Amino acid sequence: MGFYKLFVLKDYDGALQAFTRARRTRPSDPYITTSIAHVYRRQGQWSKALAYEEESERLNPLDDRQAAALGGLYATLRLFPAANYYFDRALTQKPRSVSFRLTKALAYLNLTGDLKGVRHFLPDVSENIVPTGTQDVIISLSDIALLLSDEQQTRLLQLTPAALNGDTAALALAKGLIHQRRHQVTLAYASFDSARVVLQDKVRRHPNEDPFYHAMLGLALAGLEQPEDAVREGERAVTLLPYPAGGPESTLMPANLARIHVLLGHREKAVDALTTVFSRPGPLSAAWLRVDPFWDPLRSNPRFQRLAAVRN
């Protein structure tokens, strides 16, 4: 009943009542307390969400997924020392997990701004890093493509969609950004257009169901220099996943819109979107902004410089 009210009816108070009743009969069940934490996140009550997620971890301290969930919430709140601690806990129990290694890498980057160091944590690109919509920290491989070493970027350019469980669009977007960074204009255009074809078909068949496809389509269209359509798709993704009711993924959409504006050369609008990102819990830190080559077009902007100078 709690899940039905949460995900179908969007009745968050009703979901809390149902989960609270369940908790009375199963007080040591960590999955009930983590469900309560999820509801509080969708209400924007972050301190309550953190308290219940911490309780879930205390009830189930040997569960790698529970440690990673708590690490993820700390990362969303930009409490990166704690996030790194819990991701390390998760990795101790499951050291080969691609998901845990990715989230640890980004938490480390957000804490330190150590671009060279983060490359030691990132999984190899052939290990199926983030097929569309499977992580709360980034939308797809394209969000981290320019963080990769030159060697890893070259390997990425050689991958086929099979490496990402057939995710053609995510791979094409990442390739487009790398080609663009290397001033390979024709190859970049071809990659962005390949992503556009796939994503437009998905959006056409499911226009109001998956905001990830709208977000990624916005990036592809921006790479193709179609500003009106690109911004429309990026804003559509924000609308489909409003903050905070859209859940953890809702924090990603303004960051994606900022990326779209960067690709289009809309520097002030990009900083506007980043200002929204930094006004609430969510992805990115000042340390990430300082070292990610993707944000290089904004380096001379005084407002961007102030964002990149803040402490977590």
Side-chain angles (χ1 to χ4, degrees):
M1 182 61 70
F3 287 121
Y4 176 72
K5 289 187 176 182
L6 171 60
F7 293 113
V8 179
L9 300 183
K10 314 295 183 186
D11 176 8
Y12 302 129
D13 290 336
L16 278 176
Q17 292 171 7
F19 287 135
T20 300
R21 288 198 302 272
R23 184 167 175 255
R24 292 193 190 105
T25 61
R26 299 173 65 88
S28 61
D29 187 334
Y31 304 110
I32 294 176
T33 50
T34 201
S35 298
I36 293 173
H38 186 88
V39 177
Y40 279 128
R41 287 174 69 159
R42 286 178 176 259
Q43 292 183 321
Q45 298 192 56
W46 295 97
S47 60
K48 290 183 178 180
L50 182 59
Y52 278 95
E53 202 67 75
E54 289 174 333
E55 180 178 342
S56 297
E57 195 277 333
R58 288 193 297 271
L59 290 170
N60 202 12
L62 299 182
D63 189 319
D64 53 273
R65 295 168 299 173
Q66 200 69 62
L70 183 53
L73 182 51
Y74 273 121
T76 299
L77 295 172
R78 299 191 176 93
L79 299 171
F80 296 115
N84 277 270
Y85 170 79
Y86 282 103
F87 286 135
D88 284 340
R89 287 267 300 271
L91 281 167
T92 297
Q93 299 172 67
K94 192 175 288 186
R96 295 307 304 163
S97 168
V98 173
S99 175
F100 294 169
R101 285 153 58 205
L102 172 64
T103 49
K104 163 64 183 182
L106 298 183
Y108 174 83
L109 177 68
N110 276 316
L111 175 65
T112 66
D114 178 7
L115 184 57
K116 184 177 180 180
V118 78
R119 290 168 177 163
H120 294 295
F121 292 109
L122 281 170
D124 185 85
V125 291
S126 64
E127 295 185 76
N128 192 16
I129 302 179
V130 291
T132 301
T134 59
Q135 291 291 341
D136 293 346
V137 288
I138 56 177
I139 289 177
S140 77
L141 180 59
S142 59
D143 287 3
I144 61 170
L146 299 188
L147 297 176
L148 302 172
S149 67
D150 287 342
E151 179 185 0
Q152 281 276 73
Q153 289 182 15
T154 299
R155 290 191 65 177
L156 189 154
L157 293 176
Q158 297 169 350
L159 294 181
T160 66
L164 271 69
N165 286 349
D167 195 333
T168 305
L171 183 58
L173 279 178
K175 288 183 177 182
L177 289 175
I178 293 171
H179 285 309
Q180 186 182 68
R181 182 74 180 177
R182 296 181 175 187
H183 307 292
Q184 298 167 328
V185 178
T186 302
L187 292 173
Y189 189 94
S191 293
F192 286 129
D193 199 48
S194 294
R196 175 196 62 79
V197 171
V198 174
L199 292 165
Q200 279 186 334
D201 180 64
K202 291 182 180 295
V203 166
R204 187 179 300 111
R205 288 187 285 117
H206 308 286
N208 298 310
E209 294 181 17
D210 198 323
F212 287 95
Y213 292 135
H214 288 277
M216 294 169 68
L217 177 57
L219 286 175
L221 293 168
L224 295 171
E225 300 180 352
Q226 298 181 26
E228 292 184 6
D229 293 338
V231 173
R232 183 193 66 240
E233 294 299 330
E235 292 178 343
R236 180 62 178 156
V238 173
T239 300
L240 288 172
L241 271 180
Y243 174 86
E249 297 88 355
S250 68
T251 64
L252 304 177
M253 296 307 162
N256 181 76
L257 184 58
R259 293 179 184 277
I260 289 171
H261 284 303
V262 168
L263 292 178
L264 292 170
H266 300 165
R267 298 182 182 182
E268 290 300 328
K269 290 181 179 179
V271 178
D272 288 343
L274 285 174
T275 300
T276 298
V277 171
F278 279 83
S279 70
R280 58 178 65 154
L284 299 177
S285 72
W288 185 332
L289 292 186
R290 287 194 293 269
V291 300
D292 187 347
F294 181 87
W295 306 107
D296 284 353
L298 304 181
R299 300 282 173 214
S300 63
N301 185 292
R303 295 168 61 213
F304 177 84
Q305 292 170 1
R306 287 193 291 271
L307 287 176
V310 301
R311 293 182 179 273
N312 293 328

